[in-house]
Amino acid sequence: MSEIPPPRRGAGGTVGSVVLLAIAAVLGVTLVRPSLSNNDPGPTAEPAAKSTIPSGRRPGVVNIDTELGFRNARAAGTGIVLTDSGTVLTNNHVIQGATLIRVSDTDNGRTYSARVVGYAKSADIAVLRLQNATKLQTAALGDSSKVTEGDPVTAVGNAGGKGGTPTVVTGTVIAVDQSIIARDQSDGSSERLTGLIRTSAPIQPGDSGGPLLDADGKVIGIDTAASTGFQMRLGTGEGYAIPIGRAMPIARQIASGTASATVHIGPTALLGVQVQTSSNAAGQGAAVTQVFPGTPAESAGLLPGSVLESLDGQIVDSAAKLTELLLLHHPNDTVRLGWTDTLGQQHTANVRLANGPAQ
């Protein structure tokens, strides 16, 4: 793998509610899926030295198409090429649940299979590796610590998931160091994202993971979410971007293969259930709403209505906690599950985890 560009400094205010911008189609119905960033107020250029003309499209943008096998769905987003050998930066929610990923380079017109190198779910950052990619044009990275209110910006992405030549929209920076609650309409979960760049650029579903450019055409952020007063309307409203200074240290950690409590490296372990937080006689747990056929959960005897309460001796008190604990494992790991069935009977079983999609 080619070396990822060296670090730049990165920034972090107002809390709003937004939706993330990967676009998914389930059984023919178009859905908007939820998305997320940070930047330090650093030294700024003299006003007279700044260009007032937004940049046009620049190299290093890819369209990302995924199949979500367990949801019978497809999704689309955007990515930023970091190395000429095929390292791509995007949002985690762009590849969340993906069982197949195809990436189209908008500079050379070629399409590649891709694998997930790793991801940070809570930061909404993921790194992909394109298979058999060489001599790709890479994006030029800027310094997000120098971004200030009023700066002209350009957002580039796969608006509407239509593919082909990326869409280019312009605007200005409204504020930096912003916080939002990003809601995922696919599962009802939410994350508080901080340190974001807020812009007037009208980004749309499908733009997630694409570059936010400064007037020099350098990447200062990753387009992530849009808000129009708690709902998404195509082509209108404000946009939020993760500062590149916040994203790149995470990308480098992933590329180095260094796992942590917030960064998952490699394939994702699969139990095979869909869950929601629920209360039962024993307290909070992860209530099973669906068991997917042919998965470890089905083999263990889990049924819809069961409530998962422990994994390897650690308490599972919510759906999010189950995901958190599973992300510490990898395919083929054996874990011990504890649950209560619909009749109130308690069960334990050793389960060997399978290979699943990114979370």
Side-chain angles (χ1 to χ4, degrees):
M1 179 181 294
S2 300
E3 183 180 351
I4 288 181
R8 297 271 187 173
R9 285 185 305 173
T14 310
V15 178
S17 179
V18 303
V19 291
L20 303 186
L21 296 178
I23 187 166
V26 183
L27 302 176
V29 179
T30 300
L31 305 176
V32 178
R33 299 174 60 210
S35 176
L36 116 352
S37 71
N38 184 311
N39 218 7
D40 287 50
T44 59
E46 293 296 326
K50 288 189 175 183
S51 170
T52 59
I53 303 173
S55 166
R57 177 178 176 264
R58 290 294 187 273
V61 179
V62 296
N63 296 327
I64 300 174
D65 293 287
T66 65
E67 293 184 11
L68 315 177
F70 288 97
R71 299 181 188 172
N72 190 27
R74 295 175 183 271
T78 312
I80 301 167
V81 181
L82 297 181
T83 69
D84 61 4
S85 59
T87 303
V88 170
L89 175 66
T90 189
N91 287 134
N92 180 67
H93 77 267
V94 169
I95 52 89
Q96 181 181 5
T99 50
L100 180 67
I101 304 173
R102 302 285 288 176
V103 175
S104 300
D105 188 292
T106 64
D107 297 310
N108 65 19
R110 294 187 59 186
T111 298
Y112 304 88
S113 295
R115 65 175 177 86
V116 178
V117 178
Y119 53 91
K121 181 178 173 67
S122 62
D124 202 20
I125 294 295
V127 173
L128 308 181
R129 175 71 171 172
L130 309 190
Q131 305 301 302
N132 302 315
T134 59
K135 300 180 180 179
L136 302 185
Q137 294 192 61
T138 59
L141 303 186
D143 187 348
S144 55
S145 71
K146 295 182 178 180
V147 175
T148 59
E149 182 178 336
D151 286 353
V153 291
T154 301
V156 181
N158 184 15
K162 63 179 179 52
T165 302
T167 300
V168 176
V169 294
T170 61
T172 58
V173 174
I174 297 172
V176 297
D177 196 21
Q178 299 292 286
S179 297
I180 60 174
I181 302 299
R183 305 187 189 283
D184 188 335
Q185 295 178 355
S186 66
D187 63 8
S189 65
S190 64
E191 293 281 352
R192 186 178 189 274
L193 311 175
T194 62
L196 306 179
I197 302 170
R198 180 182 173 193
T199 80
S200 63
I203 55 179
Q204 300 184 33
D207 287 335
S208 276
L212 183 71
L213 307 176
D214 63 15
D216 295 323
K218 294 184 177 181
V219 180
I220 54 172
I222 304 172
D223 300 324
T224 299
S227 174
T228 55
F230 302 94
Q231 62 181 331
M232 179 73 187
R233 290 197 292 267
L234 299 184
T236 65
E238 300 168 354
Y240 292 85
I242 302 171
I244 198 66
R246 166 71 66 86
M248 285 307 297
I250 299 172
R252 291 189 189 91
Q253 180 179 344
I254 292 171
S256 72
T258 306
S260 69
T262 57
V263 171
H264 181 87
I265 302 297
T268 300
L270 173 71
L271 178 57
V273 293
Q274 183 171 302
V275 295
Q276 63 183 23
T277 301
S278 179
S279 298
N280 64 6
Q284 291 286 109
V288 177
T289 59
Q290 184 175 359
V291 177
F292 294 99
T295 63
E298 184 185 54
S299 299
L302 278 164
L303 296 171
S306 300
V307 178
L308 285 161
E309 297 161 337
S310 67
L311 189 151
D312 276 350
Q314 297 192 63
I315 294 174
V316 174
D317 57 7
S318 66
K321 185 64 175 181
L322 178 62
T323 299
E324 177 187 322
L325 293 175
L326 284 172
L327 286 178
L328 298 176
H329 293 276
H330 290 86
N332 296 318
D333 286 355
T334 297
V335 298
R336 189 160 187 80
L337 295 178
W339 73 93
T340 299
D341 64 23
T342 55
L343 299 176
Q345 303 262 339
Q346 293 189 324
H347 303 265
T348 58
N350 289 329
V351 177
R352 187 178 184 184
L353 300 171
N355 191 10
Q359 295 298 310

